[in-house]
Amino acid sequence: YIARFLRMGTYVETAQWDDAQSTWALTLQDVDSKHTSVENFDFAITAIGRFNEWKLPDYPGIKDYRGHLRHSSNWDPTYDPTGKTVAVIGNGASGIQLVPELQKVAKHINHYARNKTWIAAGWGGRERQFGPEYISEEQIKSFDNPDTYLQFRKDSEDRYWRGANAMKAGTKENADYRQRFIDIMHRRLEKKPGLAEKMIPDFSPHCRRLTPGPGYLEALTEDNLEYIQTPISRFTATGIETVDGVHREVDAIFCVGHHQIRRLVS
């Protein structure tokens, strides 16, 4: 249905408000022919996402590294990390998604995570699990009734938005979320005693974007993963050295975050 509204292969160079016509003037370029044109629209919604223009971190020696180096937003599908020793730099949303997948196949992972972060229980009041979550055939069939499906959607949204007050500092809801997340992180990290204390932030939940991260905490407790909070000092030809002088050789380095957002509106 939505395909008829899509215009593929078109790059938006600029978006300028036309005060005389009360419209947005978009300069568009065809990516194949490079032909540009200007078209006017009543509404312009920037839905470009946050990772449309990735950027590697600016560590000393990064250009000297001879192994496989990639940003998660510039993934090389031909590279097979199976049996390799790899490094993952960053524990933002992308890193939290990437680590548990690599942990299953890599020989060893050095996970550099300088900042502490909350690992949320999940959205909609339920704790997410690693792997797909299936909807039963019976429930899918029940959605043939539009009233049943509408109620299903309302219930899901209701569970989510009823937690909105937890975003306010000093509220009971915020304190409850904090304790709930602490309990969850301790429980899911119990295989490695002391790790939870290293990860739990001193700031309140919702100060940074929450990430459910199914499978992430469990991956951190596995024997083939080292969780490193010591800052990186430099890259070398064969690996990464931290400020304490420890050098760790790796076959591949995957960077997450450190992204730039391309400006759309001029």
Side-chain angles (χ1 to χ4, degrees), residues 130-148:
F130 195 38
E133 295 188 1
Y134 297 101
I135 298 178
S136 68
E137 290 292 336
E138 181 180 1
Q139 187 174 24
I140 293 175
K141 183 63 176 177
S142 73
F143 293 158
D144 291 343
N145 184 326
D147 293 332
T148 300

Side-chain angles (χ1 to χ4, degrees), residues 72-92:
S72 60
S73 293
N74 186 37
W75 192 260
D76 180 4
T78 66
Y79 182 79
D80 185 4
T82 302
K84 302 290 199 307
T85 298
V86 304
V88 177
I89 302 176
N91 64 337

Side-chain angles (χ1 to χ4, degrees), residues 14-29:
T14 63
Q16 186 71 43
W17 176 251
D18 187 331
D19 201 43
Q21 299 187 58
S22 295
T23 58
W24 285 98
L26 270 59
T27 303
L28 309 175
Q29 182 188 81

Side-chain angles (χ1 to χ4, degrees), residues 178-196:
R178 178 186 181 90
Q179 189 56 54
R180 183 185 178 197
F181 294 162
I182 288 175
D183 293 343
I184 287 172
M185 293 176 72
H186 272 287
R187 171 167 51 82
R188 291 170 60 183
L189 291 169
E190 62 183 357
K191 189 176 174 181
K192 274 192 178 178
L195 183 55

Side-chain angles (χ1 to χ4, degrees), residues 6-216:
L6 295 178
R7 189 189 304 185
M8 308 298 289
T10 304
Y11 174 72
V12 179
E13 290 189 328
T14 63
Q16 186 71 43
W17 176 251
D18 187 331
D19 201 43
Q21 299 187 58
S22 295
T23 58
W24 285 98
L26 270 59
T27 303
L28 309 175
Q29 182 188 81
D30 185 286
V31 296
D32 294 323
S33 67
K34 304 303 179 184
H35 173 74
T36 61
S37 61
V38 177
E39 299 183 29
N40 289 76
F41 299 89
D42 295 313
F43 299 95
I45 301 173
T46 57
I48 57 176
R50 301 184 62 200
F51 298 98
N52 66 310
E53 192 165 324
W54 56 271
K55 182 178 183 295
L56 289 171
D58 188 24
Y59 286 113
I62 191 169
K63 294 182 179 179
D64 299 327
Y65 178 65
R66 297 197 302 263
H68 184 79
L69 175 62
R70 282 280 171 168
H71 191 283
S72 60
S73 293
N74 186 37
W75 192 260
D76 180 4
T78 66
Y79 182 79
D80 185 4
T82 302
K84 302 290 199 307
T85 298
V86 304
V88 177
I89 302 176
N91 64 337
S94 297
I96 289 171
Q97 295 173 59
L98 183 61
V99 164
E101 297 296 338
L102 287 174
Q103 184 275 320
K104 292 186 294 185
V105 299
K107 176 182 178 182
H108 184 82
I109 297 179
N110 296 324
H111 182 30
Y112 295 87
R114 182 176 56 185
N115 298 317
K116 297 181 177 182
T117 188
W118 290 107
I119 304 299
W123 308 124
R126 58 187 178 85
E127 190 170 349
R128 285 289 310 275
Q129 301 299 318
F130 195 38
E133 295 188 1
Y134 297 101
I135 298 178
S136 68
E137 290 292 336
E138 181 180 1
Q139 187 174 24
I140 293 175
K141 183 63 176 177
S142 73
F143 293 158
D144 291 343
N145 184 326
D147 293 332
T148 300
Y149 182 64
L150 178 61
Q151 188 59 48
F152 169 78
R153 290 295 304 272
K154 284 186 174 182
D155 290 343
S156 298
E157 292 185 14
D158 183 66
R159 288 195 304 272
Y160 181 85
W161 291 112
R162 282 190 180 276
N165 201 45
M167 298 183 185
K168 299 178 181 178
T171 62
K172 179 182 181 301
E173 290 83 355
N174 186 273
D176 289 345
Y177 265 68
R178 178 186 181 90
Q179 189 56 54
R180 183 185 178 197
F181 294 162
I182 288 175
D183 293 343
I184 287 172
M185 293 176 72
H186 272 287
R187 171 167 51 82
R188 291 170 60 183
L189 291 169
E190 62 183 357
K191 189 176 174 181
K192 274 192 178 178
L195 183 55
E197 285 76 13
K198 295 179 180 179
M199 294 186 63
I200 294 173
D202 54 5
F203 54 82
S204 298
H206 297 293
C207 286
R208 290 178 60 187
R209 184 179 63 167
L210 294 178
T211 307
Y216 175 71

